[in-house]
Amino acid sequence: MARYIPAEIERKWQDEWEADATFRACHDPARPKYYVLEMFPYPSGRIHMGHVRNYTMGDVVARFKSSCGFSVLHPMGWDAFGMPAENAAMERGGHPKDWTYGNIADMRAQMKPLGLSIDWSREFATCDPEYYGQQQAMFIDFLEAGLVYRKNAVVNWDPVDMTVLANEQVIEGKGWRSGAPVERRELTQWFFKISDFAEELLDALDGLENWPEKVKLMQRNWIGKSRGLQMAFGLADGPEGFDRIEVYTTRPDTLMGASFLGISPDHPLAKALEDGNPEVAAFCAECRRMGTSEEELETAEKKGFDTGLRVRHPFDPEWELPVYIANFILMDYGTGAIFGCPAHDQRDLDFARKYGLDVIDTFVALENGQPVGAEAFVPPKTEKVRWTKPFAWDEVASGEEAIDAAIRHCEAQGIGEGVTKFRLRDWGLSRQRYWGCPIPVVHCDACGVVPEKKENLPIELPYDEGGKPIDFSIPGNPLDRHPTWRDCACPSCGKPAKRETDTMDTFVDSSWYYARFTAPHAATPTDRAEAEYWMNVDQYIGGIEHAILHLLYSRFFARAMQITGHLPSKAIEPFDALFTQGMVTHEIYESKGLRKSRAKDGSEVEIAFDQYYLPEDVVIAEFGGERSAVLRSEMVADGLDPSNPQHVKDYLDVLDRSQIKITPSAKMSKSKKNVVDPVSIIESFGADTARWFVLSDSPPERDVEWTSAGAEAAHRHLGRVWRIANGIAEEMGQGGGVAAYESEGEGAASTGGDDLTLRRALHKTIHDVTMGIESFGFNTSVAKLYAFTNVLAKSTASLPARREAAMVMAQLMAPMTPHLAEEIWDMLGGAGLIARAPWPKADPALLVEDTVTLPIQINGKRRSELRVPKDMSAEEVEKLVLADDAVAKALDGGAPKKLIVVPGRIVNVVV
RNA sequence: GCCCGAGUGGCGGAAUGGUAGACGCAGGGGAUUCAAAAUCCUCCGCCGCAAGGCGUGCGAGUUCGACUCUCGCCUCGGGCACCA
């Protein structure tokens, strides 16, 4: 008996698609286009289930839209610059370029068997000089358009390795390799002027109707538009040149509750005080011994240093406030100085309690308003409160009203100015690293900073150094110590000059790749006609972790590219629709143990360790509802067969079952070894099973848990579908083969009885599956296909009706399990490739039911039901309801208090 | 710490404010088989013999009716500007 053999089927159809160039994107003005893009991968060398899920979702959309008549662009590339390549070179030797391209080749080879409808002719990697050369050209255009500038910014500095560290390389305030406490250090760096676009980037979010609300909200908060008051506090006894401190506040209404002034350790005044005061210097140095991440600053213990300086309150010259240097105040937000109002800000309150400062209430709750105790009183700004110290508004007013009045009052008094500020900072793109796109400028003693000539692009990364491979074991940036690469002629005056040795943040690479895919080998960054046809990305799919930075930077880049003529204005928002998919998770197998190690004094010690095991290395068995895991290798060593459930049970009976702990699912990660290799899944079950599984069960936006039972079930189901189709094909063979059915045409299935029942179910399925795909409800589409398979398997309809049903079902499955779908289409005599067949349409006449089951609720609980014609009037329904046994019993002779009839839906009797 | 999500049977989940638990997994029972695998049929939220009662993280509220809307909590996850 023939059976479903994915390995044969999948290879065969992938070859057919290749020969047919089915997925080659065609610039066809006669057809509407559809651009599907998944966030491109970092070439780590191995694909993981998260990739499979991401690309399968995109593939479903791409294949579906193609069937619907669109000219589809579905490309793939590699986000290939970044730290891991350099880290690998440091740890294992070799060159980042070789490592990266090797990984790309490996990953492409792992990805191809998935049968994705990708136009591989457009593939590129961001580390291709062809790509980053165009990026350099754009950088020069941006520079000329005033979108790039240089300024000082702080970095994490490892004083031992003498190198800049990424935030993730700072662990508990120490460098990951050297273990030395990290310092903040200022460097001159390149910045994109994204803050100029803050307002525009914020406003344009409203137009992104097909983006998730949560992503838009995160971006809104990130951009952080605020209206506040900028004002100055007069400084009585400041050092030379400091007679006032500029403060920005979003709560000018709480000015009367001010009890201290705080300035950033990086504030010019703090720096001036450092010079003459070792204590100040020590405190500031301590503050600088922290990483640069906001998270670290915010979670660190709040500390302040009383400078001894006093400022005068603007409303009362007699009222003096102390000036503190505080470690939680950021220099790059606002003016780097704040006034603290402890009563209405928790952080300020904690600070005030710690340093014994006043807590002055400026307002209390309307109802039983109490003075502030351990918790700051911070009601929503829209809530009315009772003011104890209003200075320009009524005693009862909301925070919002008070803020507006306070700003007007201060402006009128000449105390300050109402200003709008954004939290969004300019995008620092300089990286002091090798494996990135070189910034194409030259530093000339005579001419200053000069952009490289475009004809000299790309400025390629040097592969060797003085004829020898670059040594990555030395910390720091190899470009910085590479004389022949670094030394060059000034593009302007021709005198000896030095190249910029900073490379670009990898976010730059990923901020325009979507545009490059429209013309991947053009001699300019984009090709106008191609961009005009293909942009925008109609559906972008990726992880929620990119909700802010990558997506915001891409939106900025689209604007900058439009200004510099590289994108049409319609592409100002490059992604029409966004979908953020969840992760793939797996449970964790972990055992605690002891390991021998060497202590500092050289003696041998035993330390506890966590050992993790790969899912493929353990066998799971269940005892009375409790699941236990055992190592495969241990069973084999004891002469037992891990595939025999009885052996596993027997083995576990004599074993301490707590040896391997099964801990709940988490994102698949190498360190926890809770990973399932897509390659081995494809080898044992086939790509269609992997694809079907990642689409089923969980809604796409949520995490999906990989379970071997789930994968087996998916595989079983596909085998069942194959068998049903094969059975129909065999029946057809007995009845004269495909030709006999072709000639009979569509009328072959009869229009009544079992055939009609099957067709009704089929058309309902067409409708539901289509809706599911269109709304990213792939899991419900899968469920509807399961249900229809059950119907078809049990159907006693005529052979032509069942053939039609199986073929349409194959079409509905084609976006998800394309190989199996082609195979079924072929065995049932479908014409051409299913990938090129038009999407089936549901016949509305077959979707309507003439009678419905109306549930009857009594007091909101379902108690009975009624079978009535779909369009029966409410009055008639009421009569039937009152005659119902359950209703009569509940009414007990009385009349209902209320009777709600929702026609065609439900009835509720209130008694 | 700040910002954003998510919580439904033993498990993954379904459900335009209208029958909570579709579909799948696991589990029980049966058929087929010398036997097993595979396959097919069937049962399956919890408590209860039953009648019935209870059930969508917890606590309130709106509504004839709430998984769905509002408010307050709890737990878990994502982001926090040099991981990509």
Side-chain angles (χ1 to χ4, degrees), chain A residues 756-867:
Chain A
L756 180 62
T757 308
L758 181 61
R759 294 194 83 209
R760 274 190 190 281
L762 177 65
H763 281 256
K764 185 86 173 75
T765 306
I766 294 172
H767 175 263
D768 292 348
V769 170
T770 306
M771 294 283 282
I773 292 175
E774 281 177 342
S775 63
F776 266 82
F778 303 129
N779 56 324
T780 57
S781 288
V782 167
K784 300 291 182 187
L785 284 163
Y786 266 108
F788 184 71
T789 307
N790 290 336
V791 171
L792 179 58
K794 288 177 187 152
S795 175
T796 48
S798 70
L799 181 57
R802 280 180 291 128
R803 173 183 177 244
E804 182 205 6
M807 289 180 76
V808 172
M809 182 170 75
Q811 284 190 279
L812 297 177
M813 289 174 72
M816 307 170 195
T817 57
H819 313 87
L820 175 61
E822 291 284 7
E823 184 69 16
I824 292 174
W825 186 254
D826 185 51
M827 70 170 77
L828 296 180
L833 288 169
I834 204 169
R836 290 199 183 269
W839 192 251
K841 278 199 173 57
D843 179 352
L846 292 170
L847 295 178
V848 289
E849 298 274 352
D850 19 12
T851 57
V852 291
T853 304
L854 224 48
I856 300 175
Q857 293 184 332
I858 294 169
N859 290 337
K861 294 258 176 210
R862 183 185 175 282
R863 286 290 182 259
S864 183
E865 62 182 35
L866 212 53
R867 185 105 188 131

Side-chain angles (χ1 to χ4, degrees), chain A residues 5 64 118 158 174 299 333 364 380 468 520 545 601 603 612 818:
Chain A
I5 305 168
F64 171 70
I118 285 168
D158 185 322
K174 299 192 172 78
T299 51
Y333 185 56
V364 294
K468 284 185 289 186
E545 66 272 21
D601 61 9
S603 67
Y612 295 101

Side-chain angles (χ1 to χ4, degrees), chain A residues 10 14 17 23 49 51-53 55-64 74 111-118 678 681-682 685-697 706 711 714 718 778 782 813-820:
Chain A
E10 293 180 358
Q14 283 169 22
W17 296 328
F23 310 124
M49 276 300 164
H51 293 125
V52 174
R53 195 176 189 212
Y55 305 136
T56 301
M57 286 179 195
D59 204 43
V60 170
V61 175
R63 287 175 178 270
F64 171 70
H74 185 208
M111 217 184 265
K112 288 233 169 157
L114 280 169
L116 301 167
S117 66
I118 285 168
I681 295 296
I682 294 169
F685 295 114
D688 282 339
T689 293
R691 296 171 57 119
W692 184 256
F693 178 77
V694 293
L695 293 170
S696 59
D697 287 356
W706 184 277
L718 298 188
F778 303 129
V782 167
M813 289 174 72
M816 307 170 195
T817 57
H819 313 87
L820 175 61

Side-chain angles (χ1 to χ4, degrees), chain A residues 520-598:
Chain A
H521 304 298
T524 45
T526 56
D527 176 287
R528 203 52 199 243
E530 294 297 327
E532 191 70 50
Y533 180 73
W534 291 113
M535 287 300 287
N536 299 337
V537 176
D538 293 278
Q539 183 65 60
Y540 195 32
I541 306 170
I544 185 70
E545 66 272 21
H546 295 291
I548 299 174
L549 293 179
H550 162 63
L551 290 165
L552 193 61
Y553 290 159
S554 294
R555 296 178 61 220
F556 160 72
F557 241 73
R559 284 164 173 79
M561 286 175 75
Q562 194 240 317
I563 289 167
T564 49
H566 296 298
L567 274 181
S569 54
K570 71 165 186 178
I572 198 159
E573 282 299 340
F575 312 123
D576 279 352
L578 173 70
F579 187 85
T580 53
Q581 101 276 6
M583 301 177 301
V584 181
T585 63
H586 196 286
E587 59 187 13
I588 298 163
Y589 310 112
E590 174 183 11
S591 86
K592 306 281 183 199
L594 290 171
R595 182 176 55 171
K596 286 202 166 75
S597 183
R598 211 162 279 280

Side-chain angles (χ1 to χ4, degrees), chain A residues 464-485:
Chain A
D464 295 318
E465 183 180 10
K468 284 185 289 186
I470 293 176
D471 184 0
F472 287 92
S473 63
I474 307 170
N477 181 359
L479 297 178
D480 214 20
R481 51 168 196 261
H482 193 297
T484 55
W485 186 82

Side-chain angles (χ1 to χ4, degrees), chain A residues 140-358:
Chain A
I140 292 167
D141 291 342
F142 286 11
L143 190 62
E144 279 161 7
L147 296 163
V148 195
Y149 69 103
R150 297 217 304 163
K151 72 168 179 183
N152 282 355
V154 290
V155 292
N156 299 307
W157 180 257
D158 185 322
V160 170
D161 274 354
M162 303 287 279
T163 187
V164 177
L165 299 178
N167 282 339
E168 73 159 6
Q169 296 174 318
V170 180
I171 294 150
E172 287 168 10
K174 299 192 172 78
W176 66 337
R177 281 172 197 286
S178 69
V182 167
E183 295 168 10
R184 273 193 275 171
R185 177 177 273 213
E186 282 200 8
L187 291 180
T188 305
Q189 309 207 60
W190 288 94
F191 283 82
F192 286 125
K193 272 193 171 174
I194 190 172
S195 65
D196 280 4
F197 296 78
E199 184 95 60
E200 151 72 13
L201 287 168
L202 180 67
D203 292 346
L205 285 172
D206 294 335
L208 297 175
E209 282 164 22
N210 295 312
W211 278 43
E213 269 318 308
K214 62 175 170 183
V215 172
K216 290 192 276 183
L217 191 56
M218 282 194 251
Q219 293 215 353
R220 276 189 197 106
N221 289 335
W222 187 259
I223 294 169
K225 183 177 181 172
S226 66
R227 179 163 163 77
L229 182 74
Q230 178 133 353
M231 55 172 293
F233 283 78
L235 200 51
D237 47 0
E240 183 73 32
F242 293 93
D243 57 354
R244 48 198 262 133
I245 298 176
E246 283 279 336
V247 163
Y248 172 73
T249 175
T250 57
R251 292 307 298 262
D253 55 321
T254 63
L255 254 174
M256 293 303 289
S259 63
F260 67 96
L261 225 75
I263 63 172
S264 163
D266 299 316
H267 193 278
L269 175 59
K271 287 181 178 170
L273 291 171
E274 267 187 86
D275 287 342
N277 186 334
E279 276 182 85
V280 174
F283 181 78
C284 289
E286 192 195 323
C287 292
R288 281 184 207 117
R289 268 198 296 277
M290 267 201 298
T292 57
S293 76
E294 184 174 322
E295 186 189 0
E296 204 181 328
L297 294 179
E298 290 281 338
T299 51
E301 190 194 347
K302 309 291 180 289
K303 284 185 188 164
F305 182 89
D306 187 350
T307 60
L309 299 179
R310 294 291 178 267
V311 288
R312 285 182 295 270
H313 196 282
F315 292 169
D316 178 2
E318 303 296 306
W319 182 359
E320 290 197 340
L321 306 172
V323 179
Y324 279 77
I325 300 170
N327 64 352
F328 56 88
I329 300 172
L330 293 165
M331 193 54 222
D332 6 327
Y333 185 56
T335 60
I338 58 146
F339 76 77
C341 175
H344 307 297
D345 183 292
Q346 191 58 45
R347 194 168 57 182
D348 291 350
L349 184 65
D350 296 342
F351 193 83
R353 296 282 186 233
K354 186 166 177 176
Y355 295 103
L357 302 167
D358 295 338

